[in-house]
């Protein structure tokens, strides 16, 4: 099966500019996640979708970050305006959560953002 | 919420055995995951434990003690390609199965 697709792989912007990242999950995966991974740290969950609804966005800085998954398939994460501290890799992951057992996440290759 | 602790860095010798520990405190627990992440790459799934005990998968084994909030990943017969970060992650027992990651342990395998 095809994996999780993300684009762009790399993006360099200046602070206060805007940027958008796109993710296409594995076909049939109902749950989609956006994680932020700052260099040397573990992934931090920004937002979790179940189909096209948000089920957790408690750590999303809503004054500058937004995300949508309009048709319950692909998703876009936007940052506007960007700050220096937003420099990170943005990882998209998807899963088909079982009723019981392991909810294994499959990650995309990530989008590396550098804010100057 | 979840609080997950693991060592920041470890070094081990090729051919040896290394144990990476993880402790967690959770408000709701639905299993403990280990992921491997090579530098510049995405995390990939290694193992999952939901019951106490040891799960063995080739050179890698993972252990869980729910009463102690403790897990470890055991890597045997270390190879240079095992140099990577190892992420401990806890699954939430809530309806949407949120997964929270620790900061990761960077393992360096030396000759």
């Amino acid at each position: 099966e095809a994996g999780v697709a993300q684009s762009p792989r790399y993006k360099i912007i200046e602070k206060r500019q805007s940027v958008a990242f796109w993710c296409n999950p594995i076909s049939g995966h109902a749950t989609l996640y956006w994680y932020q991974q700052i260099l040397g740290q573990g992934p931090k969950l920004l937002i979790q979708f179940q189909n096209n609804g948000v089920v957790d966005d408690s750590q999303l800085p809503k004054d500058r970050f937004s995300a949508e998954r309009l048709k319950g398939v692909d998703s876009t994460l936007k940052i506007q305006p960007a700050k220096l501290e937003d420099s990170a890799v943005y990882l998209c992951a998807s899963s088909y959560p079982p009723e019981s057992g392991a909810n294994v996440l499959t990650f995309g290759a990530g989008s590396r953002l550098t804010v100057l | 919420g979840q609080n997950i602790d693991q060592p920041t860095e470890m070094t081990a010798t090729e051919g040896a055995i290394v144990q990476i520990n993880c402790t967690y405190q959770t408000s709701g627990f639905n299993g403990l995951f280990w992921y491997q992440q090579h530098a510049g790459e995405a995390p990939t799934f290694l193992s999952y434990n939901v019951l106490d005990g040891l799960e063995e998968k080739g050179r890698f084994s993972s252990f869980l003690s729910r009463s102690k909030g403790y897990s470890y990943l055991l890597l045997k017969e270390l190879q240079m390609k095992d140099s990577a970060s190892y992420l401990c992650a806890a699954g939430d027992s809530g309806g949407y199965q949120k997964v929270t990651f620790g900061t990761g342990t960077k393992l360096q395998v030396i000759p």
Side-chain angles (χ1 to χ4, degrees):
Chain A
E1 64 182 0
V4 177
Q6 288 190 247
S7 66
R9 287 295 313 278
Y10 304 93
K11 189 74 177 179
I12 301 174
I13 61 173
E14 295 189 349
K15 59 184 179 183
R16 292 187 288 274
Q17 288 187 323
S18 63
V19 63
F21 303 113
W22 173 83
C23 172
N24 191 31
I26 290 174
S27 177
H29 278 194
T31 308
L32 185 148
Y33 312 77
W34 283 101
Y35 284 87
Q36 178 194 57
Q37 188 172 28
I38 293 172
L39 187 64
Q41 299 183 19
K44 169 188 164 185
L45 180 67
L46 293 177
I47 189 166
Q48 178 177 343
F49 292 94
Q50 181 78 9
N51 296 308
N52 62 344
V54 176
V55 298
D56 190 326
D57 63 357
S58 57
Q59 298 191 93
L60 185 75
K62 298 180 185 65
D63 57 335
R64 299 183 300 106
F65 286 63
S66 64
E68 60 184 13
R69 192 184 184 199
L70 291 175
K71 297 182 179 179
V73 181
D74 57 348
S75 175
T76 302
L77 176 71
K78 296 180 181 178
I79 308 174
Q80 181 178 13
K83 292 186 175 181
L84 296 177
E85 59 260 37
D86 298 333
S87 293
V89 175
Y90 291 86
L91 293 165
C92 179
S94 70
S95 71
Y96 186 79
E99 290 189 8
S100 62
N103 179 28
V104 177
L105 273 60
T106 302
F107 285 86
S111 294
R112 182 178 297 276
L113 174 66
T114 302
V115 182
L116 302 176
Chain B
Q2 316 274 25
N3 186 38
I4 300 171
D5 289 311
Q6 51 182 132
T8 304
E9 294 182 346
M10 299 182 72
T11 301
T13 305
E14 189 177 16
I17 299 173
V18 70
Q19 178 175 311
I20 302 174
N21 296 324
C22 170
T23 59
Y24 63 90
Q25 295 173 311
T26 66
S27 56
F29 179 74
N30 187 32
L32 196 290
F33 299 83
W34 285 95
Y35 282 77
Q36 180 189 58
Q37 186 176 28
H38 285 101
E41 298 182 12
T44 55
F45 171 73
L46 285 178
S47 68
Y48 172 75
N49 296 66
V50 67
L51 300 176
D52 286 358
L54 188 68
E55 295 278 346
E56 298 187 74
K57 193 185 294 185
R59 294 189 299 114
F60 291 10
S61 303
S62 56
F63 172 84
L64 177 67
S65 169
R66 294 179 68 127
S67 61
K68 295 181 179 179
Y70 169 69
S71 173
Y72 67 72
L73 180 69
L74 193 71
L75 291 75
K76 304 175 187 175
E77 302 169 13
L78 279 172
Q79 302 176 10
M80 299 301 291
K81 68 178 182 179
D82 297 329
S83 293
S85 287
Y86 292 86
L87 302 167
C88 175
D92 193 279
S93 59
Y96 296 108
Q97 301 193 42
K98 176 179 175 179
V99 178
T100 301
F101 286 83
T103 56
T105 298
K106 185 176 181 180
L107 173 66
Q108 182 181 15
V109 180
I110 58 176

